[in-house]
Amino acid sequence: MGFDLEWLRSQLPGRRIEWHDAIPSTMIEASRLASTGVPSGTVVGAEEQTAGRGRHGRSWHSEPGLGLYVSLILRRQYAPAALPVVTLALGLATQEAILKATSLACDLRWPNDVLLHSRKCAGILTQLESSTPSSAIIAGIGINVNHSSFPLELNGIATSLRMAGGAVYSRERLLGELLTSVDTYCDLLETEGRGPIIETFARASSFVSGRRVSVDQDGTELRGTTAGLNDSGFLMLRCDDGTHSVIVAGGVRPCS
């Protein structure tokens, strides 16, 4: 089913939305647009990405017409210390939007994964563009919406809203809810700082405290129990060897 762009624009007057049938990556196009000075809140979306990007250069499976593949240009007055928390704010927004649009309650895996039944249904990627006319954050959000299956290598780790909820969902409504929620959480971060976002994320995620996990740190695996988030929004880990680590980045996975 095609994306009803005109309906969405009617629901979001004044919002610039660029939509493509196919594009290598919405992140790349959003970065290009940001360099021309387009306003904050501009959306770049596509029915299909041919070179979709995930964290650490991984690809993002973007089956045509079934998912929500968008990048947002955010020009916000954030203190530099708040930038690591933007990803957490976007995770909260994605979780909230999915709940409102589908009634499906998602978990959040620090720092940027959204899960249903322990499988990934959405991911977030952020990058700072400081060379634009005014600096911008490019926020890429991919949501598996109406996929009924995945390639073999993703079976067991990926799911979609359709697979979890047993229904076909409106991508237009989901995007409308997502943009509203992004505005809400980005406003909160801008006006009240990191604290409320960190506290809300910690409550919304089963991975933040008391969870046995393994963490890939530059090819070295750390194992331990999560012990909350610090004031910067980074994950604290009580390692099995008795040491404590602050996880700034890295893949976090449950373990026994």
Side-chain angles (χ1 to χ4, degrees):
M1 183 181 296
F3 192 84
D4 192 343
L5 182 58
E6 294 310 311
W7 178 86
L8 183 65
R9 284 175 170 158
S10 74
Q11 303 301 303
L12 299 166
R15 173 86 65 166
R16 179 168 176 174
I17 304 174
E18 302 280 340
W19 205 259
H20 303 263
D21 289 334
I23 194 172
S25 164
T26 61
M27 291 283 287
I28 294 172
E29 178 61 14
S31 179
R32 186 193 69 79
L33 281 177
S35 71
T36 70
V38 297
S40 183
T42 295
V43 181
V44 178
E47 291 293 279
E48 177 187 11
Q49 294 183 115
T50 58
R53 295 162 56 190
R55 293 184 75 227
H56 306 303
R58 300 186 184 102
S59 62
W60 180 269
H61 179 65
S62 306
E63 193 167 345
L66 298 180
L68 201 56
Y69 319 120
V70 297
S71 291
L72 315 179
I73 298 169
L74 306 175
R75 302 189 193 276
R76 294 280 183 157
Q77 299 302 311
Y78 292 140
L83 293 178
V85 184
V86 172
T87 299
L88 306 187
L90 295 171
L92 288 167
T94 304
Q95 181 189 54
E96 180 178 89
I98 291 172
L99 181 63
K100 288 182 175 179
T102 71
S103 298
L104 295 170
C106 297
D107 193 9
L108 296 172
R109 181 169 61 201
W110 186 92
N112 69 327
D113 291 338
V114 184
L115 309 179
L116 277 166
H117 308 314
S118 300
R119 298 183 180 186
K120 185 171 178 177
C121 68
I124 297 146
L125 182 65
T126 57
Q127 65 184 38
L128 179 64
E129 296 285 341
S130 57
S131 59
T132 63
S134 59
S135 63
I137 295 170
I138 309 300
I141 302 175
I143 304 177
N144 301 327
V145 184
N146 290 319
H147 303 65
S148 59
S149 63
F150 288 92
L152 184 61
E153 65 271 17
L154 297 178
N155 284 341
I157 62 173
T159 191
S160 71
L161 308 186
R162 177 181 179 180
M163 292 167 70
V168 173
Y169 297 103
S170 166
R171 293 182 297 145
E172 296 89 342
R173 182 187 172 194
L174 179 59
L175 180 53
E177 296 285 6
L178 178 64
L179 296 176
T180 298
S181 293
V182 167
D183 287 346
T184 297
Y185 284 101
C186 286
D187 286 347
L188 180 63
L189 180 57
E190 190 170 41
T191 58
E192 299 191 31
R194 297 172 294 179
I197 297 296
I198 292 171
E199 292 167 9
T200 304
F201 190 96
R203 291 194 300 269
S205 169
S206 74
F207 279 80
V208 166
S209 295
R211 188 71 177 263
R212 287 277 304 156
V213 298
S214 64
V215 185
D216 180 13
Q217 293 285 275
D218 296 323
T220 299
E221 182 186 59
L222 299 180
R223 285 183 172 240
T225 302
T226 57
L229 302 176
N230 69 10
D231 290 343
S232 297
F234 299 133
L235 187 66
M236 295 183 290
L237 185 70
R238 291 193 299 268
C239 299
D240 290 346
D241 63 5
T243 63
H244 291 74
S245 292
V246 175
I247 308 303
V248 176
V252 175
R253 296 292 182 269
C255 70
S256 57

